[in-house]
Amino acid sequence: MAERKGLVTLKGNPVTLVGKEVKVGDAAPDVTLLDNDLKAVALSAFRGKVVVLSSVPSLDTPVCDTETRRFNEEAAKLGDGVAVLTISMDLPFAQKRWCGAHGIERVKTLSDHRDAAFGKAYGVLIKELRLLARAVFVVDRQGVIRYTQLVEEITHEPDYDAILDAVRKLI
């Protein structure tokens, strides 16, 4: 499995990303994750919608909490033709608890804890921590990557405006 160094830091310390870089124009890798009820969900199930794939280290951290809440607010404005998915290594039980506690209804959380399939396929698995790096991928209705953003410092939020601009161009 490919390893990439020097792209991302955690509190200033470099980490290693496992998996090949996913680029604009690539077919979005189809992986199967678990939803909050332990049901398998393939990313291809969202084909026909514009999809925002937001990978985060853990919903139980301040930046991930803020990011997912922001995407929940934005998703309500984007309409039913857009699916916003937050993917983490958190257990489905923890994701369900977190969503319930924070009123998250428009973002669907999915767990990659079992196989790290998303992390490896999208090149965002942090080798040293077995967590996902903070990244966002925008996928068009045909399943093609149209925008990517790998946040260089994991403790920072993504550029929401750039992401939302990319989504609006596709809807």
Side-chain angles (χ1 to χ4, degrees), residues 1 18 31-34 40 88-89 91 111-121 125 130 132:
M1 179 81 33
V18 176
V31 297
T32 300
L33 304 165
L34 292 178
S88 72
M89 296 296 258
L91 294 174
S111 177
D112 196 25
H113 87 278
R114 187 186 297 168
D115 303 318
F118 180 87
K120 293 173 188 171
L125 178 64
R130 200 173 187 279
L132 302 180

Side-chain angles (χ1 to χ4, degrees), residues 59-110:
L59 292 170
D60 283 319
T61 62
V63 178
C64 301
D65 176 292
T66 299
E67 178 179 337
T68 305
R69 287 177 191 242
R70 170 76 185 267
F71 278 130
N72 191 61
E73 291 171 19
E74 298 294 345
K77 302 173 196 170
L78 295 172
D80 292 335
V82 177
V84 181
L85 312 176
T86 293
I87 302 160
S88 72
M89 296 296 258
D90 295 313
L91 294 174
F93 312 108
Q95 290 179 338
K96 186 173 188 172
R97 176 199 47 76
W98 185 89
C99 287
H102 299 290
I104 304 300
E105 297 176 352
R106 296 288 301 181
V107 168
K108 182 174 186 71
T109 55
L110 297 170

Side-chain angles (χ1 to χ4, degrees), residues 12 29 42 63 77 80 105 107 111 114 127-128 131 142 145 152 158 162 164 168 170:
V63 178
K77 302 173 196 170
D80 292 335
E105 297 176 352
V107 168
S111 177
R114 187 186 297 168
K127 179 180 180 178
E128 295 85 353
L131 295 174
Q142 292 75 40
I145 303 282
E152 292 178 9
L164 294 169
R168 288 186 190 105
L170 297 172

Side-chain angles (χ1 to χ4, degrees), residues 15-75:
V15 296
T16 305
L17 298 181
V18 176
K20 187 180 147 205
E21 178 184 8
V22 174
K23 297 178 182 172
V24 171
D26 290 351
D30 188 24
V31 297
T32 300
L33 304 165
L34 292 178
D35 72 8
N36 293 173
D37 295 317
L38 300 175
K39 292 185 181 126
V41 176
L43 293 183
S44 59
F46 298 94
R47 190 97 8 102
K49 292 186 177 208
V50 173
V51 181
V52 177
L53 300 171
S54 170
S55 74
V56 299
S58 175
L59 292 170
D60 283 319
T61 62
V63 178
C64 301
D65 176 292
T66 299
E67 178 179 337
T68 305
R69 287 177 191 242
R70 170 76 185 267
F71 278 130
N72 191 61
E73 291 171 19
E74 298 294 345

